[in-house]
């Protein structure tokens, strides 16, 4: 199988933007599509800031940053992704929205060699793959972590239809992108979010019950357990909307009410307090 030359990324939020960035740094051409033009503009600015930081720290040469930026094209229609030989979907964590997209992708990319990867945090790859019809064997979970340029892992998740060849190629591409791929089976939340997200949810319950204030909850987990960020700070960083969506998938997918999202977490989402991306979640983030 020939080497991947062009990756299409769908969704230019914090994950899509980061995945596009590391792919471009790895020498791959990237086309990024988002339904919101403003999201594409923000993505460019975030990538520039991240790449500049890596140059400042001596982790990337200025010429390599310039070359990477030159490999990234932002587009405003799905049609313009045609010609890519690998697709990574990084849109909202909603099974219906993702399945609608994968049905379109399977029609747009009928070629056998084009892999249709999802960066979903929790949704069944088997279920997403059903939307791709005859293309189901080319659908795979390729789960990057936030912030993508700094986090080492890609969790690779085969659905029951995914071909062995596609899994091997996903592992190879993740490695080429500078990451360490580790495989998990297709159960709601896979490994990462099955373990991480209930802990975050529990931190919201502890706050709601008045066991401690957010600063103390986060401080205790940072200083006592050596976490780089406390669970509530991390929830803001991930996006509280995404946290609720993941908990919903765990509760449904694992048939257990113990995974229901904490009312306090849901209330912040209802109020539009989604975390870093809206400037306020558990904490406030003044515009920088
Ligand atoms: N690109 C380039 N540089 C970056 C960056 C990025 N995206 N983000 C942060 N940095 C830089 C900072 O600018 C900073 O540089 P200086 O040292 O020059 O100031 C440096 O990295 C360290 O950052 P900070 O000082 O802000 O803080 P830190 O030491 O805590 O590191 C962190 C930041 C790597 C994000 C660290 O806090 C961390 O590991 N946090 C936990 C992240 C985590 O758990 N991610 C997984 C989330 S779950 C998930 O992704 C799966 C899902 O499906 C929800
Ligand atoms: P985000 O809200 O930052 O970005 C999502 C982007 O997708 C937005 O720019 C939005 O405009 C765009 N979008 C929504 N529907 C679209 C559509 N139909 N077509 C094209 N673009 C569309 O979200 P994010 O944090 O980048 O998360 C994206 C995916 O990655 C989710 O599935 C999430 O669960 C997963 N994920 C998130 C994290 C995290 O820490 N935030 C980590 C790993 C995986």
């Amino acid at each position: 199988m020939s080497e991947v030359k062009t990756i299409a990324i769908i969704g230019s939020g914090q994950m899509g933007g980061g995945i596009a960035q590391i792919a471009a740094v790895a020498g791959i051409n990237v086309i990024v599509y988002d339904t919101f033009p403003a999201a594409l503009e923000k993505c460019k600015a975030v990538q520039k800031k991240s790449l500049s930081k890596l140059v400042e720290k001596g982790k990337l040469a200025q010429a390599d940053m310039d070359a990477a930026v030159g490999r990234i094209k932002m587009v405003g229609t799905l049609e313009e992704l045609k010609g890519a030989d690998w697709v990574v979907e990084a849109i909202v964590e909603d099974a219906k929205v993702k399945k609608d997209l994968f049905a379109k992708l399977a029609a747009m990319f009928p070629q056998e060699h084009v892999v249709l990867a999802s960066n979903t945090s929790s949704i069944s790859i088997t279920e997403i793959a059903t939307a791709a019809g005859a293309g189901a064997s080319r659908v795979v979970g390729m789960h990057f972590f936030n912030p993508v340029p700094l986090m080492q892992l890609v969790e690779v998740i085969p659905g029951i239809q995914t071909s062995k060849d596609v899994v091997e190629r996903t592992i190879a591409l993740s490695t080429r992108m500078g990451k360490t791929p580790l495989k998990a089976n297709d159960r709601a939340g896979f490994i990462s979010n099955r373990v991480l997200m209930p802990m975050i949810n529990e931190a919201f319950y502890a706050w709601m019950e008045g066991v401690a204030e957010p600063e103390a909850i986060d401080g205790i987990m940072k200083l006592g357990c050596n976490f780089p960020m406390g669970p509530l700070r991390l929830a803001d960083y991930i996006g509280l909307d995404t946290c609720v969506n993941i908990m919903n998938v765990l509760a449904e997918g694992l048939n257990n009410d113990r995974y229901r999202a904490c009312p306090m977490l849901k209330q912040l989402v209802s109020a539009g307090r989604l975390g870093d991306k809206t400037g306020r979640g558990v904490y406030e983030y003044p515009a920088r």
Side-chain angles (χ1 to χ4, degrees), residues 185-239:
N185 287 330
D186 188 24
R187 286 285 180 281
F190 321 123
I191 289 297
S192 54
N193 282 313
R194 182 165 182 170
V195 176
L196 173 69
M197 210 43 77
M199 187 209 46
I200 287 178
N201 202 43
E202 201 58 35
F204 278 92
Y205 271 113
W207 177 26
M208 190 175 79
E209 290 170 12
V211 182
E213 288 302 306
E215 291 78 3
I217 294 172
D218 281 347
I220 286 165
M221 297 309 287
K222 278 174 70 177
L223 299 178
C225 301
N226 251 3
F227 287 6
M229 285 174 167
L232 298 173
R233 174 69 194 93
L234 183 57
D236 273 356
Y237 192 63
I238 290 168

Side-chain angles (χ1 to χ4, degrees), residues 2-17:
S2 61
E3 205 173 54
V4 174
K5 292 194 176 60
T6 305
I7 298 191
I9 310 273
I10 308 178
S12 69
Q14 42 189 347
M15 296 309 292

Side-chain angles (χ1 to χ4, degrees), residues 9-23 30 32-34 39 43 46-47 88-93 98 118-121 142-151 153-155 177 179 193 237-239 242 246 277:
I9 310 273
I10 308 178
S12 69
Q14 42 189 347
M15 296 309 292
I19 299 163
Q21 177 180 321
I22 62 157
V30 186
V32 186
Y33 162 67
D34 198 290
C43 177
V46 170
Q47 285 172 343
V88 180
E89 166 275 314
I91 66 170
V92 61
E93 186 74 348
K98 287 197 195 286
S118 174
N119 184 52
T120 178
S121 295
M142 192 178 190
H143 185 201
F144 291 85
F145 288 73
N146 190 14
V148 180
L150 303 188
M151 302 298 283
L153 179 67
V154 175
E155 195 176 27
M177 288 163 88
K179 301 300 179 195
N193 282 313
Y237 192 63
I238 290 168
T242 302
I246 294 170
K277 62 185 165 188

